[in-house]
Amino acid sequence: MEGKRSCLSSSIPSDLLRRIRKLTLSILTNLSNGQSPVVQIDRFRNYCTETSGNCYCNCGISVGKELLTLQRECHTRRLDVLLRVLLVVQTLLQQNRHGSKRDIYYMHPTVFKEQSVVDRAINDICILLQCSRHNLNVVSVGNGMVMGWLKFSEAGRKFDCINNPNTAYPVPVHVEDVEIDIIGVARYILVVEKESVFQRLANDSFCTRNRCIVVTGRGYPDVPTRRFLRLLIEKLHLPAYCLVDCDPYGIDILTTYRFGSMQMAYDAKFLCVPEIRWLGVFPSEVEKYCLPQQCLLPLTREDKTRVEAMLLRCYLRREAPQWRFELDLLLSRGLKCEIEALSVQSLSFLSEEYLPSKIQGGVYI
C-alpha cells in the first residue's frame, strides 16, 4: 500500500481522477453488458487477537477482500452511497476545492441518513483509489490545539507560537501545506488527552518554564492532529510523551496515537506515531501519589469489557508489554482516576512537580 502511494506526487488530482474514471467505467461496462458489477475492497486491520505472534497487522498488508455486488440489498445501498460520495470527490478534485465530511453528508441527508455512512464510504474510496483522505480534498473540522516553542505556516498564513508560548493555536487542517520554521529551543513534545489539562498547563505557563510544545486532540484525536503530530516529530526530531487519564478511554486514546485506529487501519503507517511514550497517569502510580479514595472511581462493567478487549490486542503483547502490564493492573484493581486527581496535592502539582520530575527522571514507558 505504501509503495503504491509513493507514485502519487504533485499530479495527485489527475492521478486520482484517472482512477475514478477507471472505476466508474468498469461499473458502467458491467451494467451495459447486463452483468452485476463487483467492487473489491481490500480490508486492513491494525491489530488482532492472535497470540502465536504470526500476525501481520502492522505491515500495511491487506487481510482479505470484501466484495460488493448488486445481488445483495445492503451492498446495493453501499454502492449507491459510495458512488454519490465519489461524484462529490471528483467535483472537489476537478475544481481544486476542499469540503468536509459534514458538507458531503448534507448534500444527500435523506439518502445517507447518518454521518457514519459517509465516513465509511470515504474510507472505502481511499482504499479503492490507494490514497489518503486528504488526497481526496476531504478535510475534517480540526479539534486539535497546539502551543509552545514553535513557528509554522499553513498555506502562507504564519503562526508564531513562540511569541506567546502559553497561548493556544488551532492545529492546521491542511497539514500537507504546513511548513515548519522552528528555533531550536524546544526540548520535547507533550501530548495531553484533554482540553482541561491543556488549559491548566497554559495557565501555569508550562511551555515557558519547560521550553516544550504541547498538543491536545481534545479526546480521541482527529486526522489533522495525528498528521500534525507526526510531522512535528519527523521534522524536529524531538522526544514525544503522552499524558492521559488512568482509565480505559485514556489508554485507548494513547494507543490511537501510537498504533492508529481500526477504522483507518489502511492509513495507519501515515498516521501513527510509534515514537510516542506513555508518561502517565499509570495505574501503578495511584498509591505512590497517595490519591485518596474519593479521587478514585470503580470501573464500570463497560470499562471492564473494554479493558479485557484491549488486553487481547496483538500490538500490546508484541510492542508494548509494559503498557499491557499497566492495563492489566487497572483491571485487577478495578479503580480509575482522572489526570486532575493529581491536583489533590496542589493546583500546580501537575505542571510544577509531576510532569517535570517524570520527564527529567525518565519515568515513562
Side-chain angles (χ1 to χ4, degrees), residues 150-169:
L150 173 70
K151 288 183 181 180
F152 66 92
S153 61
E154 178 190 14
R157 184 183 176 192
K158 295 183 178 181
F159 296 85
D160 188 352
C161 307
I162 295 178
N163 275 341
N164 298 285
N166 302 298
T167 299
Y169 292 83

Side-chain angles (χ1 to χ4, degrees), residues 191-195 216-219 243-245 249-250 253 339:
V191 181
V192 297
E193 173 189 348
K194 302 185 294 188
E195 183 178 4
T216 181
R218 298 202 280 185
L243 177 69
V244 296
D245 283 338
Y249 288 93
I253 288 170
I339 299 167

Side-chain angles (χ1 to χ4, degrees), residues 4 95 114 131 135 138 147 161 252 295 311 333 340-341 346:
K4 292 178 181 177
Q95 299 179 358
E114 55 187 28
C131 68
N135 296 135
V138 176
M147 63 180 176
C161 307
D252 197 29
C295 294
L311 285 169
R333 291 186 174 177
E340 292 90 338
S346 72

